[in-house]
Amino acid sequence: MSERPYVIDQMISAKAIAARIEALCAEIQNEFKDTDKLVVVGLLRGSFVFIADLVRELDLPLEVDFLEASSYGSGMESSREVRILKDLRGAVEGRDVLVVEDIVDTGHTMHHVHALLQSRKPKRMKTIALLDKPSRREIAFKADWTGFEIPDEFVVGYGIDYAQRNRNLPYIGKVRFI
Ligand code: IMP
Ligand code: MG
């Protein structure tokens, strides 16, 4: 695949991400302090780094499960149709659930996933997104916790890709074409 050349400008440092996760986990722990077991659901693939850091900061009895939904193709365009490519392995009925997403952009993915999991009747379900681009919203969705609100920029790193690349950057950067 031929790509336009680009550089990545750092936007949120690894240190800032770690500090924000610590603060968010204190709130999540407080919300779920009475849980018998929390099911932490990561949306593949973009949330894999975030969920790894989150669960290691949470001092709660928990399980990890994954769901893969697709809304983007291979590039920068979001398609409005959300498909479930890989469903959860476990049941969520009657369970405490925390859904972990990398970015809420148009809102279609989380709107769809939230409705799907809600239909399975969890006891209590909360959502967290590392990043939120509120100016891009096409359908209403607000995560219960958000790491950082960012402007309408295409970002990579910390699990987030551009055409499958740059997931391994330890920080969040914005793509700038040159
Ligand atoms: P939504 O359905 O438009 O809210 O899209 C959410 C999904 O689009 C996220 O899970 C990301 O995988 C992807 N996405 C949105 N913005 C970006 C970005 O800036 N960089 C990389 N992926 C993005
Ligand atoms: Mg995604």
Side-chain angles (χ1 to χ4, degrees):
M1 186 180 133
S2 69
E3 276 172 28
R4 287 161 65 198
Y6 62 90
V7 293
I8 297 166
D9 299 327
Q10 181 172 301
M11 192 181 205
I12 307 169
S13 70
K15 235 177 136 171
I17 297 168
R20 185 70 185 124
I21 288 177
E22 226 185 285
L24 290 166
C25 283
E27 293 181 25
I28 294 167
Q29 225 163 275
N30 190 46
E31 169 68 34
F32 288 107
K33 57 178 177 285
D34 59 341
T35 192
D36 49 336
K37 201 186 325 168
L38 179 65
V39 185
V40 182
V41 171
L43 265 61
L44 293 172
R45 283 172 262 180
S47 73
F48 82 102
V49 175
F50 184 36
I51 198 174
D53 282 345
L54 265 186
V55 295
R56 284 180 294 174
E57 194 63 41
L58 285 176
D59 188 12
L60 291 172
L62 63 81
E63 280 179 16
V64 174
D65 205 341
F66 292 98
L67 187 101
E68 186 170 13
S70 84
S71 67
Y72 270 50
S74 57
M76 290 182 161
E77 270 294 288
S78 174
S79 73
R80 271 116 208 116
E81 184 202 342
V82 181
R83 285 177 304 142
I84 300 299
L85 302 179
K86 181 204 168 296
D87 205 339
L88 298 175
R89 288 292 294 273
V92 295
E93 185 175 350
R95 316 280 303 273
D96 285 327
V97 178
L98 176 67
V99 183
V100 181
E101 173 63 313
D102 56 354
I103 309 179
V104 182
D105 185 38
T106 64
H108 289 284
T109 304
M110 279 303 276
H111 179 86
H112 183 90
V113 168
H114 191 268
L116 173 72
L117 297 185
Q118 200 65 62
S119 75
R120 297 178 184 176
K121 308 205 179 330
K123 181 166 115 197
R124 171 172 44 173
M125 179 165 63
K126 298 284 177 188
T127 55
I128 181 167
L130 177 65
L131 304 175
D132 188 354
K133 297 193 230 176
S135 67
R136 295 258 309 158
R137 206 70 94 248
E138 293 176 4
I139 185 162
F141 184 82
K142 183 89 183 97
D144 294 294
W145 295 284
T146 297
F148 303 89
E149 278 195 9
I150 60 169
D152 181 9
E153 302 279 2
F154 198 84
V155 296
V156 293
Y158 197 74
I160 301 164
D161 74 303
Y162 171 37
Q164 297 309 323
R165 291 193 48 196
N166 310 120
R167 292 192 196 272
N168 55 323
L169 287 176
Y171 56 86
I172 304 276
K174 63 179 175 192
V175 170
R176 178 164 53 87
F177 291 102
I178 50 175

